[in-house]
Amino acid sequence: MPQTRVAVVGSANMDLVAMAPALPRQGETMLGTDFVMVPGGKGANQAVAAARAGASCAFLGAIGSDAFGVTLKARITAAGVDTSQLRVVYGTSGVALVMVNAQGDNAIVVTPGANDALVGLSKEELTTVRTADVLVAQLEIPVQTVTAAAVAAREAGTRVILNAAPARDLPPELLAAVDLLVVNEGEAQALAGRGREEPRALLDLTPRAVLTLGGEGAWYVDRDGAEVHVPAVRVDVVDSTAAGDAFTAALAVGWGEGRDLVDAVRWASAAGAACVRKLGASVALPQRAEIDELYVPA
């Protein structure tokens, strides 16, 4: 079977991750237990996750001219991602400050840096989008860039998956180009005014949607009448920071390889579960064998 070609357009950040017994309250200083500095950003994470899940993946993003940018490109490339069109812009790279408690819950502050400069897709970047099997995008970069990529993909017959995180107002031309929307409960509430109690509300925005609920699994719904709950795979949680990125990337790879979408959600759930067993973002993203180990078919 030929490799699925995935194009990811999105953010790249350096994640500064601190572990502590609990998340500090406002004004509180707390002693941590561990610290790691790893490449992150939803775009970069999903690109690395797609490559590790077995796809041929190209990443369209922007990094700064600082030391973080050098490290980001080296690490993303080493993961097997095509970074030939990764832009380098003068200034700082994106940075995420991540705090993780003993239960694996997190709080994150992101400063976009170079990600805000990812505007005006080039002819070469648009060609990469148009020749992919699946385009994956998020909302940590300018929404006009996501829209341009999605519209180009739709015109070329490339499937479009939008992970609408962080939630923001979506222009009609972007929604019209989306084949599959992936959101968590907070994002569903922001976009559709409904959460787990009515996942089908998302179908007012898109023909197909996946609503992720962490340890409570995920719902798949579509306009053909499907409404399927996929249970979460039970594992010991260390850090949930990149679980959603592992899920979205595996969903794209599974769908691109020809799985029906419900089965692709099951495989993606295994990817999310494999990810939360390790500390950090990109370093925790699972290899294909780790996903297959936890995958539970219907």
Side-chain angles (χ1 to χ4, degrees):
M1 179 177 63
Q3 276 187 305
T4 292
R5 295 166 299 172
V6 175
V8 177
V9 57
S11 59
N13 299 319
M14 185 60 76
D15 287 356
L16 309 178
V17 186
M19 292 283 291
L23 299 178
R25 298 183 295 272
Q26 182 176 348
E28 180 181 13
T29 298
M30 179 175 293
L31 288 177
T33 58
D34 201 359
F35 172 79
V36 292
M37 184 175 74
V38 293
K42 296 193 72 65
N45 284 347
Q46 291 177 16
V48 170
R52 290 182 179 172
S56 171
C57 185
F59 178 49
L60 308 180
I63 54 176
S65 55
D66 55 3
F68 284 165
V70 174
T71 302
L72 281 167
K73 184 171 183 177
R75 296 281 187 87
I76 297 167
T77 303
V81 176
D82 177 1
T83 58
S84 60
Q85 295 179 61
L86 179 60
R87 301 183 189 182
V88 179
V89 300
Y90 180 77
T92 61
S93 299
V95 174
L97 305 176
V98 185
M99 295 178 292
V100 184
N101 69 14
Q103 290 72 47
D105 301 317
N106 62 64
I108 305 173
V109 175
V110 178
T111 57
N115 295 300
D116 278 347
L118 186 62
V119 293
L121 293 177
S122 68
K123 179 180 177 180
E124 292 76 15
E125 289 167 331
L126 290 172
T127 296
T128 297
V129 168
R130 292 179 177 126
T131 56
D133 297 309
V134 184
L135 170 70
V136 180
Q138 325 77 32
L139 299 174
E140 289 183 340
I141 59 173
V143 71
Q144 64 265 36
T145 304
V146 177
T147 301
V151 169
R154 168 54 64 91
E155 291 173 349
T158 298
R159 294 171 176 172
V160 178
I161 296 178
L162 176 64
N163 178 204
R168 62 170 72 179
D169 290 337
L170 301 178
E173 58 266 36
L174 173 55
L175 286 173
V178 172
D179 294 295
L180 176 63
L181 183 69
V182 180
V183 291
N184 63 24
E185 188 170 18
E187 292 149 3
Q189 288 281 3
L191 292 172
R194 298 286 189 277
R196 70 184 70 200
E197 74 281 1
E198 195 176 342
R200 296 192 65 81
L202 292 166
L203 300 179
D204 292 338
L205 306 172
T206 179
R208 305 168 193 85
V210 175
L211 172 61
T212 62
L213 298 170
E216 297 180 41
W219 283 96
Y220 169 74
V221 294
D222 64 35
R223 289 177 181 169
D224 293 327
E227 186 171 345
V228 181
H229 179 255
V230 176
V233 179
R234 297 301 175 190
V235 295
D236 292 331
V237 177
V238 175
D239 180 5
S240 62
T241 301
D245 296 332
F247 179 99
T248 300
L251 180 61
V253 176
W255 194 22
E257 289 179 348
R259 296 175 187 262
D260 69 73
L261 270 168
V262 174
D263 188 54
V265 172
R266 291 192 179 94
W267 199 63
S269 295
C275 182
V276 303
R277 298 184 298 183
K278 300 176 184 178
L279 175 65
S282 59
V283 294
L285 297 167
Q287 301 286 344
R288 188 180 184 99
E290 297 176 276
I291 303 171
D292 288 340
E293 178 187 0
L294 294 176
Y295 164 63
V296 180

